[in-house]
Amino acid sequence: MSAERVEEVKEAAEAGVATAGGAVETQAAAAGLTYYPIAPGVRLNVRSGPATSYPIVKVLPEGTRVPIFCQSPGTSVTGPYGTTNIWDNIADSQFVSDAYVRTGSDGYIAPRCD
């Protein structure tokens, strides 16, 4: 594994997301978390809140899978999985539009964020 790939997996573990390699996903499965894939070929912006007006805190690489801890309404976004105002909380103060996450549902699949 290259040093760059090791760093990517380490950062993913710290952020609570799984990369295509699945290192974090294996640990999460033991914890009972479900991880959802982001749309193929997409590098997804992660924002500090549930709207496009929030700053981008990082960008997820292609092939990433994310947990969804809670969901929140926010600005409407159109993506590969439709148009929605649902935003998925994937880690502390980290949100992605549900329009880019394959959850298998057009509605809420997790509790609403407080």
Side-chain angles (χ1 to χ4, degrees):
M1 183 180 289
S2 71
E4 185 176 289
R5 177 74 179 130
V6 169
E7 187 61 29
E8 180 181 307
V9 170
K10 179 182 172 197
E11 288 174 5
E14 291 169 355
V17 298
T19 61
V24 178
E25 187 173 5
T26 302
Q27 295 168 355
L33 290 176
T34 300
Y35 279 69
Y36 301 90
I38 63 170
V42 170
R43 295 183 68 229
L44 187 59
N45 291 335
V46 178
R47 297 184 179 272
S48 63
T52 55
S53 59
Y54 284 89
I56 295 170
V57 295
K58 68 180 176 181
V59 178
L60 298 177
E62 293 180 32
T64 300
R65 298 173 65 87
V66 296
I68 299 175
F69 295 103
C70 62
Q71 294 176 301
S72 182
T75 55
S76 187
V77 173
T78 299
Y81 301 118
T83 300
T84 185
N85 72 335
I86 298 173
W87 286 74
D88 304 330
N89 174 253
I90 62 168
D92 189 34
S93 298
Q94 294 183 23
F95 290 83
V96 295
S97 172
D98 197 60
Y100 288 88
V101 181
R102 191 179 75 209
T103 62
S105 174
D106 289 336
Y108 286 86
I109 58 142
R112 291 218 183 183
C113 302
D114 292 334

